Amino acid sequence: MNEALIIAKVAAKDSSAFQYLYKEYFGMICHFITHNSGNEADAEDVFQDTLVLFYEKTLAADFQLHCSVKTFLYAICRNIWLKRLRNKQLNLAISDNEPFTDVETDEEADLHDGYLAKATQALAALGDKCRELLIHFFYYKKNMVQIAAEMNYANADTAKNQKYKCLQQLKKMTGNE
Amino acid sequence: MNEETELLILRYISGELSVDEIIQLKNIIANDDSARKLADEYLQIQQGIIQYERQQVKTDIAAMLATIPPQDIKDYKSSIAKSNFIHKIWSWIKSILTLFLVASIISVVLIYAGYFPIKNKYTAIIAKKLQHIEEYVPKETIITDTVFHTIYTSDPALKNADTIVVYENELHGKTPLEAIKEKAQSK
């Protein structure tokens, strides 16, 4: 499979492209992870995250690959794994010399640590149409004209107003109104 | 905080604000804690939406890959295995050279500071022997009146730095120099 075709298929979320990449490059990623303090389960997880990021990159209209897919995947995977190792080492380095109690010391820290998970949970409970609209806009970076056409809104402005309403509804559901 | 500010925040997280409007919003946030908190909450919501879908995509990809048997995964051979080997050898050489350098520096420092154990060992032996000589050899038996003479001769039997010893009973009325010359010629 040539590289342009791989990119096109990945962008279209075609399973054959992801399966091809897994067969070709999982061995390489697994070797890297297992030789750097990880195990095969870590390798599976990192490889899936790598493919998700690769997929997200291919969604951008101006995406151009300036190296081989293999090199690109290896670089993403390496970054993900190094970040995880860094996080692990930070945790290991913590040595309490007093009994530790997990409490938030101020409102702002509470907002940052807990709100993301709350927002994700609220989104799962949001109406299908609202969720779809917000995902199209924020994750897939589609413009309001595209969204209006795909979701049968009268026009882009209607879709935009609906998006604001959905965001406000989501905010209410997170319980911080 | 009014609805206008909330709309401004909603438009901000949607990337719909002009530069002037961004500056206006920044000023509002800087002076209004509730506006700052609201902007923060909407940014977290935006991140929550991205995380939610990212997790969905990951689940979909995992399902696609789950059907592939392990034997279908291509065997991997590192493309930098050889250079790794050379790198390892070079690392060893560098480590050994560094070790020698460090050991040399430490040895020199120890020798000059007088802490080098081998030096101490031999110094102690010599000191002990000198003490033995001083204690057990009567001083009057040591003849200190030794005279050295350098003579010049073309005699091929003699070599440079040869030592000629003349005892007192060999003088027979001659001066030590005459006795040495005579003995050198007879050698």
Side-chain angles (χ1 to χ4, degrees), chain A residues 13 45 56 140 163-164, chain B residues 16 38 53-54 58 60:
Chain A
K13 218 172 165 186
D45 194 52
E56 287 176 5
Y140 293 100
K163 181 189 72 186
Y164 296 152
Chain B
E16 294 163 3
L38 186 68
E53 185 58 13
R54 188 169 277 165
K58 187 176 175 179
D60 292 346

Side-chain angles (χ1 to χ4, degrees), chain A residues 58-123:
Chain A
T58 62
L59 293 178
D62 57 349
F63 175 69
Q64 274 188 322
L65 198 55
H66 298 290
C67 59
S68 67
V69 169
K70 179 183 175 183
T71 305
F72 192 67
L73 291 179
Y74 186 79
I76 298 176
C77 157
R78 193 175 180 280
N79 286 341
I80 293 173
W81 186 239
L82 286 180
K83 197 174 170 187
R84 287 194 192 177
L85 283 182
R86 231 176 279 138
N87 291 341
K88 274 187 190 174
Q89 280 167 352
L90 276 178
N91 291 338
L92 288 172
I94 291 170
S95 174
D96 292 311
N97 53 357
E98 291 287 337
F100 175 69
T101 311
D102 191 8
V103 288
E104 291 298 339
T105 51
D106 60 62
E107 214 181 311
E108 196 177 335
D110 184 39
L111 176 79
H112 280 105
D113 292 341
Y115 208 78
L116 187 64
K118 225 188 269 182
T120 311
Q121 282 168 8
L123 192 71

